[in-house]
Amino acid sequence: MRNSMSSGSIEQARRLAAIEALVCRDVGRKTADLIAANPGGLADAARDLARATSVGLITGFFVPRGDVAAPETDGPVGTALLAAALAACGLAVRIATDAPCAEAVRAAVAASGGGVATDEGAVEDRAGLDKLLGGWQAMKLSHVIAIERCGRSADGKPRNMRGVDVSAWTAPLDDLFLGGPWRKLAVGDGGNEIGMGRLPAGLIARTVPNGAEIACVTSCDHLTVAGVSNWGAYGLMAALTVLRPDWAATIAKFLTAERDLAVTRAVVDKAGAVDGVTALREPTVDGFGPDVHGALVDELGRIAWGQAAD
């Protein structure tokens, strides 16, 4: 019986699977069950995104811990580089965040090359959020992507991985994510981010100091469960180079270890961002330094261009 897949389709599927295997893996957070429950999520999201004409992105996760009160490095970095790449490919692109994370997002956008507008919402400003939603609806966005954005749990409160209610630093951008007919994509790495409602809440149950349930209830059309959320953004970039050869050369300019480190340094130096795991103000993400992130980005590039896929 003849194989219905062409050699080109087989090679494409092989590269997408290799990209997902690299990006969507447990890095010590006990997320293997989440990843296993979402097979093919990154590839499906990339296939959907490959048809986009205009994209809104939502990011920003604030870290209030002891003497530390700052946005984290995971999220704005990957979001800005993905946004810059999509804009360079000719798409209309915007990023939304809230006031506590706005400086970090703007620093990331500037370091990524600029040219992408950032919409900022106050934490408690329903009228402002409604106005922002109206603007996004008027743009007729085809896709909205949430990347490392804390979302509502079952009790309506956004909670960090320690079970702490972070409502005081988190605008309800779930409503922006859900508020239009656009395709809804999400990237997360722990279970409390927008989009994780696509998975059974029981998989996300955690033992946190105050016993709170952290699972986000906001769902999406396609979910990427990454080891680190920035990696999910880079995985989408790599997958798009496979699916859209006409975009490949442009995306390649943004999918580099040098860019990743430069943008990470910018959000730390210019906006005081911190590592979300260590709470230290240094150019690391989720406890990993540039040696780890840079090696991953380099490997994604090799896979995307067919130089490795194992």
Side-chain angles (χ1 to χ4, degrees), residues 129-181:
L129 180 57
D130 289 343
K131 182 178 180 181
L132 174 56
L133 174 57
W136 278 32
Q137 291 171 336
M139 286 182 64
K140 300 186 183 301
L141 296 173
S142 65
H143 292 70
V144 168
I145 312 170
I147 301 175
E148 187 67 8
R149 176 66 197 184
C150 191
R152 285 190 289 259
S153 56
D155 65 359
K157 301 181 185 301
R159 296 184 180 276
N160 64 19
M161 295 301 289
R162 290 166 175 77
V164 176
D165 175 7
V166 291
S167 300
W169 303 273
T170 309
L173 296 184
D174 305 61
D175 295 338
L176 179 63
F177 181 75
L178 298 171

Short mmCIF file of all heavy atoms in Angstrom, two decimals, residues 129-181:
data_model
loop_
_atom_site.label_atom_id
_atom_site.label_comp_id
_atom_site.label_asym_id
_atom_site.label_seq_id
_atom_site.Cartn_x
_atom_site.Cartn_y
_atom_site.Cartn_z
N LEU A 129 -9.23 47.89 30.46
CA LEU A 129 -9.14 46.57 29.86
C LEU A 129 -10.18 46.40 28.76
O LEU A 129 -9.90 45.85 27.68
CB LEU A 129 -9.31 45.48 30.91
CG LEU A 129 -9.22 44.03 30.43
CD1 LEU A 129 -7.90 43.76 29.72
CD2 LEU A 129 -9.40 43.06 31.59
N ASP A 130 -11.39 46.91 29.01
CA ASP A 130 -12.44 46.83 27.99
C ASP A 130 -12.06 47.64 26.75
O ASP A 130 -12.32 47.21 25.61
CB ASP A 130 -13.76 47.34 28.55
CG ASP A 130 -14.37 46.40 29.59
OD1 ASP A 130 -13.95 45.22 29.62
OD2 ASP A 130 -15.24 46.84 30.36
N LYS A 131 -11.42 48.78 26.96
CA LYS A 131 -10.97 49.60 25.83
C LYS A 131 -9.90 48.87 25.04
O LYS A 131 -9.90 48.87 23.80
CB LYS A 131 -10.45 50.94 26.34
CG LYS A 131 -10.01 51.89 25.22
CD LYS A 131 -9.56 53.22 25.79
CE LYS A 131 -9.11 54.17 24.68
NZ LYS A 131 -8.64 55.47 25.24
N LEU A 132 -8.97 48.24 25.75
CA LEU A 132 -7.92 47.48 25.08
C LEU A 132 -8.51 46.33 24.29
O LEU A 132 -8.13 46.10 23.13
CB LEU A 132 -6.93 46.96 26.13
CG LEU A 132 -5.82 46.02 25.63
CD1 LEU A 132 -5.01 46.66 24.51
CD2 LEU A 132 -4.91 45.63 26.79
N LEU A 133 -9.46 45.63 24.88
CA LEU A 133 -10.11 44.53 24.18
C LEU A 133 -10.81 45.03 22.92
O LEU A 133 -10.72 44.41 21.85
CB LEU A 133 -11.11 43.84 25.11
CG LEU A 133 -11.99 42.75 24.48
CD1 LEU A 133 -11.13 41.66 23.86
CD2 LEU A 133 -12.94 42.17 25.53
N GLY A 134 -11.48 46.18 23.03
CA GLY A 134 -12.14 46.74 21.86
C GLY A 134 -11.16 47.06 20.74
O GLY A 134 -11.45 46.84 19.56
N GLY A 135 -9.99 47.55 21.13
CA GLY A 135 -8.96 47.85 20.13
C GLY A 135 -8.46 46.59 19.44
O GLY A 135 -8.25 46.58 18.22
N TRP A 136 -8.26 45.53 20.21
CA TRP A 136 -7.81 44.27 19.61
C TRP A 136 -8.89 43.68 18.71
O TRP A 136 -8.59 43.14 17.64
CB TRP A 136 -7.41 43.28 20.71
CG TRP A 136 -6.01 43.51 21.23
CD1 TRP A 136 -5.37 44.71 21.33
CD2 TRP A 136 -5.11 42.52 21.71
NE1 TRP A 136 -4.11 44.53 21.85
CE2 TRP A 136 -3.92 43.21 22.11
CE3 TRP A 136 -5.17 41.15 21.88
CZ2 TRP A 136 -2.81 42.55 22.63
CZ3 TRP A 136 -4.07 40.48 22.41
CH2 TRP A 136 -2.91 41.17 22.78
N GLN A 137 -10.14 43.80 19.13
CA GLN A 137 -11.23 43.30 18.29
C GLN A 137 -11.31 44.09 16.98
O GLN A 137 -11.53 43.52 15.91
CB GLN A 137 -12.55 43.39 19.04
CG GLN A 137 -12.67 42.42 20.21
CD GLN A 137 -13.89 42.68 21.06
OE1 GLN A 137 -14.43 43.79 21.09
NE2 GLN A 137 -14.35 41.66 21.77
N ALA A 138 -11.10 45.40 17.06
CA ALA A 138 -11.14 46.23 15.86
C ALA A 138 -10.02 45.88 14.89
O ALA A 138 -10.17 46.05 13.67
CB ALA A 138 -11.07 47.71 16.25
N MET A 139 -8.90 45.41 15.41
CA MET A 139 -7.78 45.00 14.55
C MET A 139 -8.07 43.69 13.81
O MET A 139 -7.36 43.35 12.88
CB MET A 139 -6.51 44.80 15.39
CG MET A 139 -5.85 46.06 15.87
SD MET A 139 -4.34 45.66 16.80
CE MET A 139 -3.33 44.89 15.53
N LYS A 140 -9.11 42.99 14.26
CA LYS A 140 -9.47 41.69 13.65
C LYS A 140 -8.26 40.74 13.66
O LYS A 140 -7.89 40.16 12.63
CB LYS A 140 -10.01 41.87 12.23
CG LYS A 140 -11.26 42.73 12.16
CD LYS A 140 -11.85 42.76 10.77
CE LYS A 140 -13.05 43.68 10.70
NZ LYS A 140 -14.15 43.30 11.64
N LEU A 141 -7.67 40.62 14.83
CA LEU A 141 -6.53 39.72 14.98
C LEU A 141 -6.93 38.30 14.59
O LEU A 141 -8.02 37.84 14.91
CB LEU A 141 -6.03 39.74 16.42
CG LEU A 141 -5.47 41.06 16.95
CD1 LEU A 141 -5.18 40.95 18.43
CD2 LEU A 141 -4.21 41.45 16.19
N SER A 142 -6.03 37.61 13.93
CA SER A 142 -6.32 36.22 13.57
C SER A 142 -5.91 35.27 14.69
O SER A 142 -6.51 34.20 14.86
CB SER A 142 -5.60 35.84 12.27
OG SER A 142 -4.18 35.86 12.44
N HIS A 143 -4.89 35.64 15.48
CA HIS A 143 -4.37 34.77 16.53
C HIS A 143 -3.96 35.60 17.75
O HIS A 143 -3.46 36.73 17.59
CB HIS A 143 -3.13 33.99 16.05
CG HIS A 143 -3.44 32.97 15.00
ND1 HIS A 143 -3.81 33.31 13.72
CD2 HIS A 143 -3.42 31.61 15.05
CE1 HIS A 143 -4.01 32.22 13.02
NE2 HIS A 143 -3.77 31.18 13.79
N VAL A 144 -4.15 35.04 18.93
CA VAL A 144 -3.62 35.61 20.16
C VAL A 144 -2.86 34.51 20.90
O VAL A 144 -3.33 33.38 20.99
CB VAL A 144 -4.74 36.19 21.05
CG1 VAL A 144 -4.21 36.51 22.44
CG2 VAL A 144 -5.34 37.44 20.42
N ILE A 145 -1.66 34.86 21.38
CA ILE A 145 -0.79 33.89 22.04
C ILE A 145 -0.46 34.40 23.44
O ILE A 145 0.06 35.50 23.59
CB ILE A 145 0.52 33.70 21.26
CG1 ILE A 145 0.27 33.48 19.77
CG2 ILE A 145 1.32 32.53 21.85
CD1 ILE A 145 1.54 33.52 18.93
N ALA A 146 -0.74 33.61 24.45
CA ALA A 146 -0.33 33.91 25.82
C ALA A 146 0.92 33.10 26.13
O ALA A 146 0.94 31.88 25.91
CB ALA A 146 -1.43 33.57 26.81
N ILE A 147 1.97 33.77 26.61
CA ILE A 147 3.23 33.10 26.92
C ILE A 147 3.64 33.45 28.35
O ILE A 147 3.89 34.61 28.67
CB ILE A 147 4.34 33.53 25.93
CG1 ILE A 147 3.94 33.18 24.49
CG2 ILE A 147 5.67 32.87 26.30
CD1 ILE A 147 4.91 33.65 23.44
N GLU A 148 3.68 32.42 29.21
CA GLU A 148 4.08 32.61 30.61
C GLU A 148 3.31 33.77 31.24
O GLU A 148 3.88 34.74 31.75
CB GLU A 148 5.60 32.85 30.72
CG GLU A 148 6.14 32.90 32.14
CD GLU A 148 6.08 31.58 32.90
OE1 GLU A 148 5.75 30.54 32.28
OE2 GLU A 148 6.38 31.59 34.12
N ARG A 149 1.98 33.63 31.21
CA ARG A 149 1.11 34.64 31.79
C ARG A 149 0.21 33.99 32.82
O ARG A 149 -0.60 33.13 32.51
CB ARG A 149 0.26 35.29 30.69
CG ARG A 149 -0.75 36.30 31.23
CD ARG A 149 -0.10 37.51 31.85
NE ARG A 149 -1.02 38.25 32.69
CZ ARG A 149 -0.74 39.40 33.30
NH1 ARG A 149 0.47 39.93 33.17
NH2 ARG A 149 -1.62 40.01 34.05
N CYS A 150 0.35 34.38 34.08
CA CYS A 150 -0.43 33.80 35.16
C CYS A 150 -1.92 34.02 34.89
O CYS A 150 -2.35 35.14 34.57
CB CYS A 150 -0.04 34.41 36.49
SG CYS A 150 -0.72 33.55 37.92
N GLY A 151 -2.70 32.96 35.03
CA GLY A 151 -4.14 33.04 34.78
C GLY A 151 -4.95 32.67 35.99
O GLY A 151 -4.43 32.28 37.04
N ARG A 152 -6.26 32.78 35.84
CA ARG A 152 -7.17 32.52 36.95
C ARG A 152 -7.20 31.04 37.34
O ARG A 152 -7.28 30.16 36.49
CB ARG A 152 -8.60 32.94 36.56
CG ARG A 152 -8.82 34.44 36.57
CD ARG A 152 -10.28 34.76 36.44
NE ARG A 152 -10.78 34.47 35.10
CZ ARG A 152 -10.96 35.40 34.16
NH1 ARG A 152 -10.68 36.67 34.41
NH2 ARG A 152 -11.44 35.08 32.98
N SER A 153 -7.18 30.78 38.63
CA SER A 153 -7.37 29.43 39.13
C SER A 153 -8.87 29.23 39.42
O SER A 153 -9.69 30.11 39.14
CB SER A 153 -6.54 29.21 40.40
OG SER A 153 -6.86 30.17 41.38
N ALA A 154 -9.22 28.08 39.97
CA ALA A 154 -10.64 27.75 40.15
C ALA A 154 -11.37 28.74 41.04
O ALA A 154 -12.58 28.95 40.88
CB ALA A 154 -10.76 26.33 40.71
N ASP A 155 -10.67 29.36 41.99
CA ASP A 155 -11.34 30.34 42.87
C ASP A 155 -11.31 31.75 42.29
O ASP A 155 -11.68 32.71 42.96
CB ASP A 155 -10.71 30.33 44.26
CG ASP A 155 -9.25 30.78 44.28
OD1 ASP A 155 -8.70 31.11 43.20
OD2 ASP A 155 -8.65 30.81 45.37
N GLY A 156 -10.87 31.87 41.04
CA GLY A 156 -10.86 33.17 40.37
C GLY A 156 -9.61 33.99 40.60
O GLY A 156 -9.46 35.06 40.00
N LYS A 157 -8.71 33.49 41.41
CA LYS A 157 -7.49 34.25 41.75
C LYS A 157 -6.28 33.70 40.99
O LYS A 157 -6.12 32.48 40.90
CB LYS A 157 -7.23 34.20 43.24
CG LYS A 157 -8.37 34.77 44.09
CD LYS A 157 -8.02 34.71 45.55
CE LYS A 157 -9.20 35.17 46.42
NZ LYS A 157 -9.61 36.55 46.10
N PRO A 158 -5.42 34.57 40.46
CA PRO A 158 -4.17 34.10 39.86
C PRO A 158 -3.19 33.76 40.97
O PRO A 158 -3.01 34.54 41.91
CB PRO A 158 -3.70 35.32 39.05
CG PRO A 158 -4.25 36.49 39.80
CD PRO A 158 -5.56 36.04 40.41
N ARG A 159 -2.56 32.60 40.87
CA ARG A 159 -1.66 32.16 41.93
C ARG A 159 -0.32 31.74 41.34
O ARG A 159 -0.26 31.13 40.28
CB ARG A 159 -2.26 31.00 42.72
CG ARG A 159 -3.53 31.38 43.46
CD ARG A 159 -4.07 30.24 44.31
NE ARG A 159 -5.28 30.63 45.00
CZ ARG A 159 -5.31 31.29 46.16
NH1 ARG A 159 -4.16 31.59 46.76
NH2 ARG A 159 -6.44 31.62 46.72
N ASN A 160 0.76 32.06 42.06
CA ASN A 160 2.06 31.61 41.61
C ASN A 160 2.31 30.18 42.07
O ASN A 160 1.43 29.54 42.66
CB ASN A 160 3.17 32.57 42.07
CG ASN A 160 3.32 32.62 43.59
OD1 ASN A 160 2.88 31.73 44.32
ND2 ASN A 160 3.95 33.68 44.08
N MET A 161 3.49 29.65 41.77
CA MET A 161 3.76 28.24 42.05
C MET A 161 3.84 27.94 43.55
O MET A 161 3.86 26.78 43.95
CB MET A 161 5.05 27.80 41.36
CG MET A 161 4.96 27.83 39.84
SD MET A 161 3.66 26.78 39.17
CE MET A 161 4.35 25.16 39.48
N ARG A 162 3.87 28.97 44.38
CA ARG A 162 3.85 28.79 45.83
C ARG A 162 2.45 28.91 46.38
O ARG A 162 2.25 28.90 47.59
CB ARG A 162 4.80 29.80 46.49
CG ARG A 162 6.26 29.49 46.20
CD ARG A 162 7.18 30.63 46.54
NE ARG A 162 8.58 30.23 46.34
CZ ARG A 162 9.17 30.13 45.15
NH1 ARG A 162 8.49 30.42 44.06
NH2 ARG A 162 10.42 29.74 45.04
N GLY A 163 1.48 29.07 45.49
CA GLY A 163 0.09 29.18 45.91
C GLY A 163 -0.31 30.57 46.36
O GLY A 163 -1.45 30.78 46.81
N VAL A 164 0.59 31.54 46.23
CA VAL A 164 0.30 32.90 46.67
C VAL A 164 -0.62 33.60 45.67
O VAL A 164 -0.40 33.54 44.45
CB VAL A 164 1.62 33.70 46.83
CG1 VAL A 164 1.34 35.15 47.18
CG2 VAL A 164 2.50 33.05 47.88
N ASP A 165 -1.64 34.24 46.17
CA ASP A 165 -2.54 35.04 45.35
C ASP A 165 -1.79 36.29 44.89
O ASP A 165 -1.37 37.12 45.70
CB ASP A 165 -3.77 35.43 46.18
CG ASP A 165 -4.72 36.38 45.47
OD1 ASP A 165 -4.52 36.65 44.27
OD2 ASP A 165 -5.67 36.84 46.12
N VAL A 166 -1.60 36.43 43.56
CA VAL A 166 -0.85 37.56 43.03
C VAL A 166 -1.77 38.56 42.32
O VAL A 166 -1.36 39.28 41.43
CB VAL A 166 0.28 37.08 42.08
CG1 VAL A 166 1.36 36.36 42.85
CG2 VAL A 166 -0.27 36.19 40.96
N SER A 167 -3.03 38.63 42.76
CA SER A 167 -4.00 39.55 42.15
C SER A 167 -3.54 41.00 42.21
O SER A 167 -3.84 41.79 41.32
CB SER A 167 -5.35 39.42 42.86
OG SER A 167 -5.88 38.13 42.75
N ALA A 168 -2.82 41.35 43.27
CA ALA A 168 -2.37 42.74 43.44
C ALA A 168 -1.39 43.16 42.37
O ALA A 168 -1.17 44.36 42.17
CB ALA A 168 -1.76 42.93 44.82
N TRP A 169 -0.78 42.19 41.68
CA TRP A 169 0.22 42.50 40.65
C TRP A 169 -0.18 41.95 39.27
O TRP A 169 0.64 41.95 38.36
CB TRP A 169 1.57 41.90 41.04
CG TRP A 169 2.07 42.35 42.36
CD1 TRP A 169 2.81 43.48 42.65
CD2 TRP A 169 1.88 41.68 43.62
NE1 TRP A 169 3.08 43.55 43.99
CE2 TRP A 169 2.52 42.46 44.61
CE3 TRP A 169 1.23 40.50 44.00
CZ2 TRP A 169 2.53 42.09 45.96
CZ3 TRP A 169 1.23 40.14 45.35
CH2 TRP A 169 1.88 40.94 46.30
N THR A 170 -1.43 41.49 39.14
CA THR A 170 -1.82 40.77 37.93
C THR A 170 -3.18 41.23 37.42
O THR A 170 -4.21 40.93 38.04
CB THR A 170 -1.86 39.24 38.19
OG1 THR A 170 -0.64 38.83 38.80
CG2 THR A 170 -2.10 38.48 36.91
N ALA A 171 -3.19 41.94 36.30
CA ALA A 171 -4.46 42.32 35.67
C ALA A 171 -5.12 41.08 35.07
O ALA A 171 -4.42 40.14 34.65
CB ALA A 171 -4.21 43.36 34.60
N PRO A 172 -6.45 41.05 34.99
CA PRO A 172 -7.15 39.87 34.46
C PRO A 172 -7.09 39.80 32.93
O PRO A 172 -8.11 39.91 32.24
CB PRO A 172 -8.58 40.07 34.97
CG PRO A 172 -8.74 41.55 35.05
CD PRO A 172 -7.40 42.08 35.48
N LEU A 173 -5.89 39.59 32.41
CA LEU A 173 -5.73 39.55 30.96
C LEU A 173 -6.27 38.26 30.35
O LEU A 173 -6.27 38.13 29.12
CB LEU A 173 -4.26 39.76 30.59
CG LEU A 173 -3.68 41.13 30.96
CD1 LEU A 173 -2.25 41.25 30.45
CD2 LEU A 173 -4.53 42.27 30.42
N ASP A 174 -6.76 37.34 31.20
CA ASP A 174 -7.51 36.20 30.68
C ASP A 174 -8.66 36.71 29.82
O ASP A 174 -8.99 36.11 28.79
CB ASP A 174 -8.10 35.37 31.81
CG ASP A 174 -7.10 34.89 32.83
OD1 ASP A 174 -6.44 35.73 33.48
OD2 ASP A 174 -6.98 33.67 33.01
N ASP A 175 -9.30 37.80 30.25
CA ASP A 175 -10.45 38.34 29.52
C ASP A 175 -10.05 38.88 28.15
O ASP A 175 -10.85 38.82 27.21
CB ASP A 175 -11.11 39.45 30.34
CG ASP A 175 -11.72 38.93 31.64
OD1 ASP A 175 -12.00 37.71 31.71
OD2 ASP A 175 -11.89 39.72 32.59
N LEU A 176 -8.85 39.40 28.05
CA LEU A 176 -8.34 39.83 26.75
C LEU A 176 -8.07 38.62 25.87
O LEU A 176 -8.45 38.59 24.69
CB LEU A 176 -7.06 40.65 26.93
CG LEU A 176 -6.38 41.17 25.67
CD1 LEU A 176 -7.28 42.14 24.91
CD2 LEU A 176 -5.05 41.84 26.02
N PHE A 177 -7.45 37.61 26.43
CA PHE A 177 -7.14 36.38 25.70
C PHE A 177 -8.41 35.74 25.14
O PHE A 177 -8.44 35.30 23.97
CB PHE A 177 -6.42 35.42 26.64
CG PHE A 177 -6.00 34.12 26.02
CD1 PHE A 177 -4.91 34.05 25.16
CD2 PHE A 177 -6.67 32.95 26.32
CE1 PHE A 177 -4.51 32.85 24.60
CE2 PHE A 177 -6.28 31.73 25.77
CZ PHE A 177 -5.20 31.69 24.91
N LEU A 178 -9.45 35.70 25.94
CA LEU A 178 -10.68 35.01 25.56
C LEU A 178 -11.67 35.89 24.81
O LEU A 178 -12.68 35.39 24.32
CB LEU A 178 -11.38 34.49 26.83
CG LEU A 178 -10.63 33.45 27.65
CD1 LEU A 178 -11.35 33.19 28.98
CD2 LEU A 178 -10.47 32.15 26.87
N GLY A 179 -11.37 37.18 24.69
CA GLY A 179 -12.38 38.15 24.29
C GLY A 179 -12.66 38.34 22.81
O GLY A 179 -13.41 39.24 22.45
N GLY A 180 -12.08 37.53 21.94
CA GLY A 180 -12.33 37.71 20.51
C GLY A 180 -12.46 36.39 19.79
O GLY A 180 -12.20 35.32 20.36
N PRO A 181 -12.80 36.43 18.51
CA PRO A 181 -12.97 35.21 17.73
C PRO A 181 -11.66 34.64 17.22
O PRO A 181 -11.64 33.68 16.45
CB PRO A 181 -13.85 35.68 16.57
CG PRO A 181 -13.45 37.12 16.37
CD PRO A 181 -13.17 37.65 17.76
#
